Amino acid sequence: MKLLLIISLGLLVGCNVVLDVRKGGVSQTQSSCTAIENSSTLQEYCSNAAKLTNPKAQGSGTKDSPYILCSPYQLNVIADQADLMSAHFQLNNDLDMSCIAGNHTKIASSASVAFEGVFDGNGKKIKNWVYVAATEDNVGVLLKI
């Protein structure tokens, strides 16, 4: 049985969101994530993170080899690629979405186009995810689990 989990943010003006997606699972440290993880300032973090935009850069999207997400830019483009709606992902480090100005992309656009893959938070956090919509209800990260 599949349930639909909607983290409803409603209308959030000027709010910061922390989505804590903690889940045990595969623990992998990838070398391309090292510069992002070792950044000492937000400016350096954003600069390093901007170099990694492809969510398919590491891994194959399967259970045994999930796509490794190190950058807020990787997370922000998942919904742009229909083939990723059923892939396996794992966070490699905390993501600070404040690098990306304005609204951040929703993982899925509606209940009929929900993410049905596996998103392993790996004990990491997604910080400062923002989506403001004056004419939409139930806006948030839409996952089917």
Side-chain angles (χ1 to χ4, degrees):
M1 179 170 76
K2 293 185 178 181
L3 301 173
L4 181 63
L5 171 65
I6 300 175
I7 302 172
S8 178
L9 301 178
L11 178 59
L12 297 175
V13 179
C15 294
N16 290 328
V17 175
V18 173
L19 174 62
D20 191 349
V21 287
R22 295 173 186 267
K23 178 183 178 227
V26 180
S27 180
Q28 300 176 6
T29 301
Q30 301 294 323
S31 60
S32 64
C33 300
T34 303
I36 299 170
E37 290 178 286
N38 293 334
S39 300
S40 60
T41 66
L42 181 61
Q43 182 179 4
E44 183 182 6
Y45 170 85
C46 292
S47 175
N48 289 333
K51 296 172 187 168
L52 193 55
T53 59
N54 180 2
K56 298 177 182 180
Q58 297 168 85
S60 60
T62 65
K63 179 181 178 181
D64 295 327
S65 178
Y67 292 127
I68 304 298
L69 301 178
C70 309
S71 160
Y73 297 93
Q74 290 175 306
L75 179 64
N76 206 50
V77 298
I78 290 174
D80 296 338
Q81 300 178 39
D83 63 318
L84 296 180
M85 293 297 100
S86 60
H88 291 246
F89 294 90
Q90 181 185 56
L91 288 182
N92 189 72
N93 55 299
D94 293 344
L95 302 183
D96 188 339
M97 300 302 289
S98 65
C99 296
I100 302 169
N103 278 355
H104 300 121
T105 303
K106 299 177 281 184
I107 298 277
S109 58
S110 69
S112 63
V113 188
F115 177 80
E116 296 184 280
V118 174
F119 195 94
D120 180 354
N122 193 27
K124 310 301 182 189
K125 291 182 181 180
I126 300 171
K127 300 182 285 189
N128 300 313
W129 184 86
V130 176
Y131 190 88
V132 178
T135 59
E136 293 180 76
D137 293 325
N138 301 316
V139 173
V141 179
L142 192 58
L143 303 173
K144 193 176 274 188
I145 57 172

